[in-house]
Amino acid sequence: MYAYINGKKISLEVNETILEAARRSGHYIPTLCELADIDHKPGTCRVCLVEIRYDGKEEGSIVTACNTPILEGMEVFTRTRQVREMQRLQVELLLADHDQECATCVRHGSCEVQDVAQFVGLQKSRYYEPENADREVDETAPGFVRDMGKCIRCYRCVKICRDGQGVDALVMAGRGTGAGVGVRQGMTQGSSECVSCGQCVLVCPTGALGEKDETETVVDYLYDPDVVTVFQFAPAIRVGFGEEFGLPAGTNVEGQVISAIRAIGADVVLDTNFAADIVIMEEGTELLKKHGEGNKPLFTSCCPAWINFAEKHYPQILPHLSSTRSPQQCFGSIAKTYLPEKMDIDPSKVRVISIMPCIAKKDEAGRGMFKKDGMRDVDVVLTIREFARLLKREGIDLKSLEPSTFDNPYMGAYSGAGAIFATTGGVMEAAVRTMYYAVNDKELEEIEVEALRGFEGVRSAKVDLGGNIGEVKLAMCHGLKGVRAVVEDVLAGRSDFDFIEVMACPGGCVDGGGHLRSKKAYLPFALKRRDTLYKIDKKSQYRQSHNNPLVQKLYDDFLERPLSQKSHELLHTHYIGRQQKMKQTIRDIWKDITMSTLVHSEFDNIDETAACKSDIL
């Protein structure tokens, strides 16, 4: 079977679209709404127009390449004058109600709409009226902004939220010029079932979705002589940041990041990995204690989007969550108590700034239980994207910096176990290393637990911890759609797991919602980043959290022991059920199923009062 694209004969594969065949054969067709990595090709942007001729017809037809099958003998033309003019007009119409303040947009210079506008040769926007772009801007979520003036109605975000993550907080709302992305039941972003995982941000082709930028606050702290700035950066940063400055994806830039933070004027530069080791000491001890009491399973608590998901969607599962705070929050608590004491500085002057691969970390840092006397343990959270903007504002080129090392004698060391926290299965593997030692008073011989290192969305393994514990059954979940099934099994009594690791983002923190965006791709570097983390672990001087000498000193000098009273006060937390009753009529459900307000059925004629009688939760 074969067809022709721009006169070139190509072989066909089964069930291919024109776009797929064109890409495979090296013919470029512009797209905006389509994203192959999440199997999304709705044809809503109409930018991928091509001309086709087949069945001996002399007149061509204009079709969308992303969802039109390519047929045997078909002739496809991607660059005729008619195609080029229609593509240009379509982009012009897309911009008719699109915010034109490109210079102030976070995607400026890295925007898929700008790329397509350049490709089609757009030189002006004849139909733009400023009032048309005056659409909803929702800033009600703690760390998230939804700016519909920049939305092009591609609905990638709806696809990933619904089918990828299974959260289903975003919906398609309205019709005509009023159509766009809305929040289920007309709620605000902050009051909705959104968990701030940020995966919608990673697929958005424009600046319509993004984090609240807090770089200005950090600049204020850096140039305030009365403030002591303490920076921490997560394990995922060192393997997910280099490509912003032209380095190969997955490059370990830990040393350059340390140098960059010092170059902008930070007083103290530390590693969240240190706090990850603390978390293992607390969470591992907690698991062994609860296992001995017959309380299982225990879920990990490192991921704030998972905590949001549990509180908003499954509050019944909260008693099964570890009470140990995340590494970020453990760090903040220790940095405002133990560190000032050791460094002889006033705790009230300390400002903790986190650099994280996660939007939900902004949400987490603002929770009431992580404040003391009105002051947050973690004052500001920057995503990787914000950190990149901050360095560029301050004239720092990461690639040109000489690497440096951590030099703080109190919180400046980490183990390989802390480093692998950033990938799915890493928390579990780190915990197994330390739990085995706690049970047997000797190290696990096979320190790299291959059974925990898969990449399936939900996977399980059995590990023999020895002693009076014996074999335990473990589960690792990444991506919330699979987590939902696991949680429901636990609640229904169908699960026999002892310990369950959850990371809301597919791949774990190495692909968190605060990472750098990739044009026309979703999670393209997960495995490269993961491989580098395992190499960091392998080369580490200490590979178990309990062997980190600075963690040992922290317990000897300050915390006493895991699960001590002081540990409980500084390193543990509680959770709050926030589930809402959501009502949908049959008409609402039908619109959701069809993902369109333009598909009609017998439900269109249902009386609204009658429909309300069919409400479901």
Side-chain angles (χ1 to χ4, degrees), residues 315-617:
Q316 315 94 299
I317 206 70
L318 295 179
H320 290 280
L321 268 62
S322 166
S323 66
T324 305
R325 300 183 186 187
S326 74
Q328 170 179 271
Q329 295 307 135
C330 285
F331 180 99
S333 184
I334 297 300
K336 290 198 172 180
T337 52
Y338 174 73
L339 186 65
E341 179 182 301
K342 289 293 185 180
M343 295 183 67
D344 193 26
I345 56 179
D346 183 351
S348 67
K349 294 184 176 181
V350 173
R351 296 294 180 270
V352 175
I353 297 112
S354 297
I355 303 169
M356 293 285 147
C358 177
I359 291 177
K361 286 292 182 186
K362 290 176 177 281
D363 183 353
E364 178 185 60
R367 290 172 72 100
M369 62 278 286
F370 299 142
K371 296 178 182 178
K372 296 181 182 68
D373 300 323
M375 291 293 294
R376 290 163 44 147
D377 292 338
V378 175
D379 296 279
V380 180
V381 177
L382 299 182
T383 63
I384 296 180
R385 296 185 291 268
E386 289 169 278
F387 182 48
R389 294 196 291 271
L390 177 62
L391 293 190
K392 291 174 181 178
R393 285 183 61 181
E394 297 298 304
I396 305 296
D397 178 16
L398 188 86
K399 189 176 182 180
S400 66
L401 296 177
E402 287 295 320
S404 55
T405 59
F406 298 107
D407 57 9
N408 185 275
Y410 309 111
M411 298 171 62
Y414 67 86
S415 74
I420 60 175
F421 251 63
T423 187
T424 173
V427 176
M428 188 68 73
E429 184 169 345
V432 165
R433 295 177 186 179
T434 288
M435 289 190 296
Y436 186 90
Y437 180 82
V439 172
N440 301 282
D441 199 27
K442 65 178 183 179
E443 302 295 356
L444 183 66
E445 290 184 9
E446 298 294 331
I447 194 169
E448 296 175 3
V449 189
E450 294 294 336
L452 307 178
R453 293 190 174 189
F455 210 69
E456 302 83 4
V458 178
R459 58 197 188 281
S460 62
K462 293 181 180 179
V463 174
D464 187 358
L465 292 181
N468 61 342
I469 299 296
E471 187 176 77
V472 292
K473 189 173 182 182
L474 313 172
M476 290 69 63
C477 315
H478 61 117
L480 288 171
K481 192 169 187 178
V483 171
R484 186 181 290 275
V486 171
V487 169
E488 291 187 352
D489 280 347
V490 170
L491 294 175
R494 296 188 295 264
S495 169
D496 60 350
F497 292 118
D498 296 287
F499 194 18
I500 302 173
E501 176 199 290
V502 175
M503 292 190 175
C505 296
C509 301
V510 290
D511 282 299
H515 265 283
L516 303 172
R517 308 194 208 205
S518 300
K519 292 181 184 177
K520 303 301 300 177
Y522 178 59
L523 314 184
F525 306 127
L527 295 179
K528 289 183 179 179
R529 293 169 180 168
R530 174 184 172 92
D531 289 345
T532 304
L533 289 172
Y534 284 135
K535 290 176 183 175
I536 293 172
D537 171 39
K538 188 179 285 289
K539 294 178 181 178
S540 296
Q541 182 178 0
Y542 316 106
R543 300 192 66 186
Q544 303 93 347
S545 297
H546 55 272
N547 286 332
N548 182 336
L550 295 189
V551 169
Q552 293 173 352
K553 186 172 179 57
L554 170 68
Y555 278 98
D556 290 342
D557 294 353
F558 190 66
L559 294 175
E560 300 177 7
R561 66 185 184 281
L563 302 188
S564 68
Q565 182 61 36
K566 183 168 278 190
S567 292
H568 182 77
E569 292 173 359
L570 296 177
L571 306 178
H572 291 257
T573 187
H574 62 279
Y575 307 106
I576 301 169
R578 294 183 280 160
Q579 189 176 39
Q580 302 182 53
K581 288 187 176 181
M582 306 292 285
K583 293 186 176 181
Q584 286 183 287
T585 65
I586 293 176
R587 180 183 298 174
D588 294 332
I589 295 171
W590 172 252
K591 289 178 179 178
D592 281 351
I593 291 172
T594 60
M595 296 186 74
S596 172
T597 58
L598 303 180
V599 175
H600 299 284
S601 77
E602 65 271 23
F603 296 136
D604 289 356
N605 299 317
I606 293 179
D607 177 78
E608 195 69 40
T609 303
C612 289
K613 293 180 181 179
S614 302
D615 283 354
I616 65 170
L617 294 181

Side-chain angles (χ1 to χ4, degrees), residues 54-315:
Y54 64 105
D55 286 345
K57 295 179 181 178
E58 291 188 7
E59 281 194 24
S61 302
I62 302 295
V63 299
T64 48
C66 70
N67 53 14
T68 301
I70 189 166
L71 305 177
E72 184 174 10
M74 180 180 284
E75 294 180 277
V76 179
F77 301 92
T78 68
R79 300 294 288 156
T80 65
R81 174 172 288 276
Q82 182 184 13
V83 166
R84 299 198 313 271
E85 289 178 348
M86 290 182 71
Q87 287 175 337
R88 188 180 304 121
L89 175 61
Q90 188 58 37
V91 174
E92 200 172 357
L93 292 172
L94 281 174
L95 294 176
D97 62 355
H98 189 83
D99 188 341
Q100 305 283 303
E101 296 290 335
C102 294
T104 62
C105 179
V106 294
R107 294 301 299 273
H108 182 58
S110 183
C111 172
E112 293 183 34
V113 171
Q114 287 180 331
D115 290 347
V116 168
Q118 290 292 312
F119 176 81
V120 301
L122 189 66
Q123 297 180 350
K124 59 183 176 180
S125 183
R126 293 172 294 173
Y127 307 113
Y128 172 70
E129 295 290 343
E131 58 269 21
N132 293 338
D134 186 18
R135 294 190 276 162
E136 179 187 14
V137 178
D138 189 336
E139 297 182 323
T140 57
F144 191 89
V145 178
R146 186 171 57 87
D147 184 351
M148 292 299 93
K150 298 170 182 174
C151 176
I152 60 165
R153 305 173 180 90
C154 70
Y155 301 122
R156 291 184 192 175
C157 57
V158 176
K159 171 77 173 183
I160 198 69
C161 185
R162 176 178 297 176
D163 296 340
Q165 289 290 73
V167 174
D168 203 23
L170 298 176
V171 296
M172 295 188 296
R175 63 177 65 197
T177 57
V181 175
V183 180
R184 183 165 297 286
Q185 300 298 308
M187 304 178 80
T188 64
Q189 199 77 36
S191 64
S192 73
E193 291 190 328
C194 171
V195 300
S196 297
C197 70
Q199 293 302 299
C200 57
V201 178
L202 293 182
V203 300
C204 179
T206 70
L209 300 174
E211 67 281 349
K212 287 184 177 177
D213 191 291
E214 296 182 84
T215 54
E216 195 66 29
T217 301
V218 175
V219 173
D220 286 340
Y221 288 156
L222 288 169
Y223 289 94
D224 187 336
D226 294 325
V227 166
V228 177
T229 53
V230 178
F231 277 74
Q232 62 167 318
F233 64 92
I237 307 302
R238 72 209 69 215
V239 298
F241 191 55
E243 54 261 39
E244 179 71 10
F245 294 87
L247 293 167
T251 300
N252 180 8
V253 292
E254 176 184 300
Q256 289 94 330
V257 170
I258 297 170
S259 297
I261 297 173
R262 286 183 179 143
I264 62 176
D267 297 304
V268 183
V269 185
L270 298 171
D271 200 324
T272 311
N273 285 354
F274 171 82
D277 285 335
I278 299 172
V279 167
I280 288 301
M281 298 297 289
E282 295 293 323
E283 197 166 62
T285 305
E286 182 184 6
L287 172 64
L288 293 176
K289 179 176 180 291
K290 290 198 172 185
H291 187 278
E293 297 168 348
N295 295 328
K296 63 177 190 177
L298 185 71
F299 286 84
T300 59
S301 54
C302 306
C303 173
W306 152 236
I307 299 302
N308 288 340
F309 183 80
E311 289 184 334
K312 290 185 174 185
H313 294 254
Y314 291 100

